[in-house]
Amino acid sequence: MGRSKRTPAGRTMVWRLLSPVLLATAPGVTPAAGAEELEEPQADMATGANLASTEDQALRPRTRRKARLRSDMTFDAALLAGYFSGLGVRPDSAPMSLVAVGTKGSLDGGWFRLKVPFDFQYRETPGADLREIKTRVAPVVRLQPNRWLWVEAGGGADVVRRPGWPDLYQPIPEEPADPPAPPEGYVPSDRFSFQAWQAKARIGIRPAKRQRIKATYRYRLSTWEKDPNFHPIDDPDADPNHLVPGDNEEHRVGLRWRWTSAHIKMAASITAFRRDYFYAYARDAGTGKTHASSGSVPPNPLQQFRGIRPAVTTELRFLDARLRCATTFGYDVVQDTFQGYYSYTAPRPGLRLRYRTKGGVALSVATNLRFRRYGPNSFAATPDWQPGMSGHPPLTFGDRRVDARTTANTELRFPIGRQQAVTIRGDLWVRRTNFPDYQPGIFPSLSNYDIQWNYRNWRVLTGLAIAW
């Protein structure tokens, strides 16, 4: 959210009141993770103030002063309301309200800095049963012995609660009727809720004027709520398939180089990861079978992924940096280490425009594309398949799975005071894939699933944003 000018005396007084609480709780915070996705969001191109002038000042000779302990705290809040149509593969449409609150507290002692950001978000969807509550805390300690080197260590926790979401993999009735008909409803489940902890370390250097190099390591542990109808492999009625929890641990390393000037910012990065699942079993090439049942065939090993993503970003600045145009291009190479059922490559281009008038009106527009093309072992149709047969029908086109997803986001902000702004936000998500839809009694033949993989979802929200 945009920030307004703050009164130093006011924010110092707030920090003096709240800093003892934050400092008392920071050491006990559990290490954190971001949202539970197979891949990280694209590199952030947000640049705030003019980085070039800030870095140039840091590189000039200056008189050494005695370090003083300074404190600061800022707050952001937003109250939005609107309407949404579709949420992933869910076809629900309903009104939506969103409340978001964020704080950033810091203690700065010159060469030492402690940051304790906290975010809370509550989303309500009357009539759609898709309530969501998110909480995040991520304390970081930064040491900077000189102007050329800094080191960070931190952790945190993300807690996401999605109580009683209708489970598309638990339809009512469970088995299809004759003739097949759509489900009458869905069993509510908490299994889409999760908590994630992380610990990370970063080191940065300034090898030359206007350049920065940063190396990062992160460990993340994610645990998901277990549905009562999930039966693990050691259960007499073992069926660890679609209700399997997404518990996993991940190691991620990255290296990023950045160069900035008054009118251009360039960055290049490379990230590598390895992710191991605790309940999900790897799938056979083509058929996707796991053999994780109470039968005589031993189950496949647990699922494991590893991957790498190089990326480049370029941002151009015009009109005294009030107009910014950023392009991003990344390329994912992800390997399913068992037999390649989930292996894929994916180009990821992106474009973002930001414009701010002298009066403070701000407009931002962003679009991103991810085109996954899975490997030759990603699908195998059952010969002479007919509706109602077991096995796989043919793909709707091509000989291997593809999954193209496009997102578009826009936001318009009108300031109505030194600390308030009216905001209007619109989001669009489009997905196109050749994987055949799930249809009751047709595919899978013994299930009452009714899921369309292609969708066009949108959301429009408007409301008030405040920063102080």
Side-chain angles (χ1 to χ4, degrees), residues 169 176 180 242 286-287 341 379-382 385-396 401 434-453:
Y169 287 103
H242 288 151
T287 64
Y341 182 79
F379 194 83
T382 301
W385 183 89
Q386 296 295 325
M389 290 178 53
S390 61
H392 280 171
L395 297 169
T396 58
R401 282 188 295 149
N434 60 353
F435 193 78
D437 293 335
Y438 282 172
Q439 302 177 62
I442 297 177
F443 173 58
S445 60
L446 301 179
S447 300
N448 207 24
Y449 301 155
D450 186 12
I451 303 176
Q452 296 185 10
W453 304 112

Side-chain angles (χ1 to χ4, degrees), residues 178-197:
D178 188 15
E184 299 173 0
Y186 297 95
V187 175
S189 177
D190 295 341
R191 73 182 184 93
F192 304 101
S193 302
F194 69 91
Q195 42 277 327
W197 300 266

Side-chain angles (χ1 to χ4, degrees), residues 98-109:
L98 184 67
V99 178
V101 179
T103 68
K104 291 184 179 179
S106 67
L107 281 176
D108 192 344

Side-chain angles (χ1 to χ4, degrees), residues 107-191:
L107 281 176
D108 192 344
W111 61 273
F112 164 85
R113 178 180 296 177
L114 170 65
K115 296 184 290 185
V116 188
F118 174 82
D119 294 285
F120 173 82
Q121 180 177 296
Y122 178 84
R123 185 184 73 196
E124 189 62 76
T125 55
D129 295 324
L130 294 173
R131 179 184 298 115
E132 183 178 70
I133 305 169
K134 293 182 178 180
T135 306
R136 168 178 291 181
V137 62
V140 175
V141 175
R142 177 169 177 150
L143 304 179
Q144 187 168 356
N146 56 57
R147 69 189 67 175
W148 310 108
L149 172 69
W150 57 265
V151 179
E152 279 187 356
D158 284 303
V159 179
V160 177
R161 289 290 171 257
R162 296 163 178 162
W165 277 27
D167 192 343
L168 301 185
Y169 287 103
Q170 297 191 71
I172 302 172
E174 182 178 358
E175 296 182 355
D178 188 15
E184 299 173 0
Y186 297 95
V187 175
S189 177
D190 295 341
R191 73 182 184 93

